[in-house]
Amino acid sequence: MTSSLLLPIGGISFLHLCIAFVGGIFGAAVGALPAFILCGFFVFIGAVLMIAGAGPDFLNTFGFGFTFGPQVCFGAAVVAHMYAHKKGLSPGRDITAGLMGTKSMDVLLIGGLFGSLSVILNWLFITALPMKWGGMLWTDGVAITIFVMHLIGRLLFDMKKGFFGQVAEGESRFNPTEKSTLWLPWQMSWKELFVIGAGVGLLSSYFAMLLGADHGGAIIGFGISGLSLVFLQFGTKMPVTHHISVNAAVAALASHSLIWGLIFGVLSAFAGQFWACLFTIHADTYIDPPAAAIWSVTTISVACAALGLFTAIPLP
């Protein structure tokens, strides 16, 4: 990258911001969920190439890059949905709808602006403020970038019901019923969360330990989970599991244990529902529960590794 394109903040270039701007426009145009499904596809292909020995170049360029990375096209698209809702052009929580249909180009431009912002935020979290703990980054930079962008979007475009939304009379924030607009009605009871968390967590942990971090083991489960959401896009009551699969894989690799991976898979399933109840279920717009679960549970996993808990309590 030529020095004329470098910004004062360091390794981010003006070209990176422009590419991310286009990625944000793309995500807003096609809709946040379709954009994320495409991310899942690219991550899956990247993991397969790593398994075949091709290295991480495809994954870093497409799966988590400046255009199609989830922090760019998905994270920014969700904020564009918030803006479209404020203008009366979108239901707000419907992240399956492509916003090109609003015929409002300022909606797409909001997606572009937040796509560029995602580059800056991600750089801050993983480069400027790495806060390494035991040699590991303290959290998942992509996930916390998405989460922070959504919080900013809520502050800017959807404060009618307050920052955390408004709990309906007679309802409980953390034990909502069908009277509320639920996140995933088929994935909210403790039994449902435990079973899907344990099942996906164990499988993703197995892939992680079988393949290893250098051969796609950490992200193959995430790719499969993200790609599977194509069925949710078309109305199937699919579980949302990418937060479960990636956190389980990270914990399994850090602890060298399938059981620890399973435990963190279950924890991630419950964390997703917790963040949904806190920010999304009682509000008119969407703040992504999986992204919140990924950064928060990753932080717990890193802390457990840094403090020696995985070593002190070895599990199979």
Side-chain angles (χ1 to χ4, degrees):
M1 198 66 62
T2 61
S3 58
S4 62
L5 292 178
L6 292 179
L7 294 178
I9 56 176
I12 302 173
S13 74
F14 180 69
L15 181 59
H16 292 148
L17 299 180
C18 290
I19 292 171
F21 184 83
V22 174
I25 289 176
F26 170 80
V30 303
L33 183 58
F36 184 78
I37 293 166
L38 184 62
C39 297
F41 173 74
F42 285 141
V43 171
F44 175 74
I45 295 300
V48 170
L49 290 173
M50 289 179 70
I51 294 169
D57 289 348
F58 182 92
L59 178 71
N60 293 337
T61 302
F62 291 95
F64 296 109
F66 292 108
T67 304
F68 299 115
Q71 74 277 21
V72 181
C73 62
F74 169 75
V78 169
V79 181
H81 281 278
M82 295 180 183
Y83 177 73
H85 173 70
K86 182 178 181 179
K87 293 190 65 178
L89 300 173
S90 167
R93 290 270 298 275
D94 183 13
I95 61 171
T96 67
L99 296 176
M100 192 73 188
T102 65
K103 300 181 71 66
S104 180
M105 294 305 99
D106 54 330
V107 171
L108 304 191
L109 291 175
I110 289 293
L113 288 173
F114 275 83
S116 296
L117 178 61
S118 75
V119 175
I120 298 172
L121 288 175
N122 196 45
W123 180 86
L124 286 172
F125 289 125
I126 69 173
T127 304
L129 300 170
M131 290 186 287
K132 286 190 176 181
W133 197 358
M136 298 171 286
L137 288 174
W138 68 283
T139 194
D140 185 294
V142 168
I144 197 169
T145 294
I146 294 171
F147 179 67
V148 170
M149 281 203 301
H150 292 177
L151 296 184
I152 294 171
R154 173 70 58 82
L155 286 169
L156 292 176
F157 305 129
D158 184 35
M159 288 295 290
K160 185 179 295 185
K161 289 186 176 180
F163 189 60
F164 297 97
Q166 184 176 343
V167 180
E169 186 177 353
E171 283 284 273
S172 167
R173 176 173 294 279
F174 293 104
N175 188 26
T177 69
E178 297 292 340
K179 295 178 182 178
S180 301
T181 306
L182 301 174
W183 175 42
L184 298 170
W186 54 89
Q187 185 181 325
M188 61 178 289
S189 73
W190 73 266
K191 293 179 182 178
E192 294 159 349
L193 294 170
F194 181 84
V195 170
I196 199 66
V200 173
L202 183 60
L203 182 61
S204 184
S205 299
Y206 168 75
F207 284 143
M209 295 186 67
L210 177 69
L211 299 171
D214 294 335
H215 293 90
I219 44 84
I220 184 68
F222 178 90
I224 294 171
S225 293
L227 188 55
S228 74
L229 294 179
V230 68
F231 301 107
L232 181 64
Q233 173 71 22
F234 294 113
T236 302
K237 295 179 179 179
M238 287 290 296
V240 174
T241 60
H242 53 284
H243 54 306
I244 300 170
S245 53
V246 70
N247 283 335
V250 168
L253 290 170
S255 64
H256 307 288
S257 165
L258 287 174
I259 303 303
W260 273 118
L262 182 153
I263 290 170
F264 273 81
V266 173
L267 176 62
S268 299
F270 280 91
Q273 181 63 16
F274 167 82
W275 289 109
C277 291
L278 186 61
F279 281 114
T280 299
I281 289 176
H282 306 287
D284 292 330
T285 53
Y286 184 80
I287 290 178
D288 191 48
I294 291 171
W295 79 257
S296 56
V297 176
T298 296
T299 300
I300 296 172
S301 181
V302 170
C304 288
L307 295 173
L309 181 63
F310 292 144
T311 303
I313 310 176
L315 296 175

